[in-house]
Amino acid sequence: MMKMEDAERLYRRHFAMVYSICLIHMKNEADACDMVQETFLRLMQSRFVYRSEEKARAWLVVTASNCCKSALGKSWRKKQVPYDPVLHEIGQEEPDNLLLQMVRDLDEKYGLPVYLHYFEGYRSAEIAKMLHLNSSTVRSRMAKAWELLRLELENKYFNN
């Protein structure tokens, strides 16, 4: 098992990244927090040996994605009321970073590669390896995501 000090250090350094990945997948804060907890619990229970920051980050990205995908596939989740972005925005304050919020609101297959590339600094080949996709698929999903973001911004700010 991992040393408690190493797990705590990784938690402090990478909580925001893991939370963002989970929020992209789960689409709500409560479920995202549950998946963050599950990710770090798996880290502490795993035989992962902390050797480099980059390996730890990659492990956390893959594990967080897998935790979320596993939770989304459970039968009890399919019976829940679907996420409604209009209801979600009611009572929400303006986010500190509008672009980050827009990326989080994208479908996970578009939002996750964009988040990992632009906010976490991974190259498309690294993202492809983590998500078990071709590099060209990652690049095309990022291009589609930017097109969706552009259209949303145009509709929000220029078509009023």
Side-chain angles (χ1 to χ4, degrees):
M1 284 181 52
M2 174 173 261
K3 292 181 189 175
M4 185 59 101
E5 306 85 52
D6 290 337
E8 191 174 327
R9 187 177 322 114
L10 289 171
Y11 179 84
R12 285 194 176 120
R13 285 187 184 152
H14 300 295
F15 170 82
M17 175 192 68
V18 172
Y19 176 75
S20 290
I21 290 167
C22 292
L23 193 57
I24 287 169
H25 281 283
M26 305 306 289
K27 302 294 186 203
N28 72 64
E29 292 177 13
D31 289 340
C33 288
D34 288 345
M35 292 303 100
V36 170
Q37 182 178 11
E38 179 67 23
T39 300
F40 284 102
L41 181 63
R42 286 187 187 183
L43 175 69
M44 291 174 58
Q45 293 173 338
S46 74
R47 295 179 183 216
F48 179 79
V49 178
Y50 178 68
R51 291 199 175 108
S52 77
E53 197 68 29
E54 198 54 40
K55 294 279 186 194
R57 284 180 73 204
W59 191 94
L60 288 168
V61 167
V62 171
T63 303
S65 291
N66 289 342
C67 286
C68 293
K69 288 176 186 175
S70 176
L72 289 169
K74 304 249 185 211
S75 62
W76 62 268
R77 280 220 38 107
K78 294 175 183 171
K79 296 176 184 172
Q80 289 184 323
V81 176
Y83 170 76
D84 185 346
V86 174
L87 292 176
H88 179 73
E89 288 183 24
I90 296 173
Q92 295 286 327
E93 294 181 20
E94 188 66 25
D96 293 337
N97 187 334
L98 178 61
L99 183 58
L100 178 59
Q101 186 61 43
M102 290 173 68
V103 168
R104 287 178 176 165
D105 289 342
L106 286 172
D107 184 77
E108 72 140 291
K109 77 178 191 177
Y110 300 120
L112 188 55
V114 168
Y115 174 78
L116 291 172
H117 182 72
Y118 291 100
F119 292 91
E120 294 299 327
Y122 285 103
R123 295 186 322 263
S124 61
E126 294 170 318
I127 297 168
K129 188 174 181 181
M130 284 186 247
L131 301 179
H132 307 290
L133 299 169
N134 291 325
S135 290
S136 60
T137 302
V138 170
R139 288 190 299 273
S140 67
R141 285 183 180 181
M142 286 195 301
K144 175 68 174 175
W146 283 116
E147 179 63 20
L148 292 169
L149 292 170
R150 183 186 66 78
L151 290 172
E152 186 175 337
L153 283 170
E154 283 179 358
N155 288 334
K156 190 171 188 171
Y157 293 106
F158 299 114
N159 290 339
N160 286 335

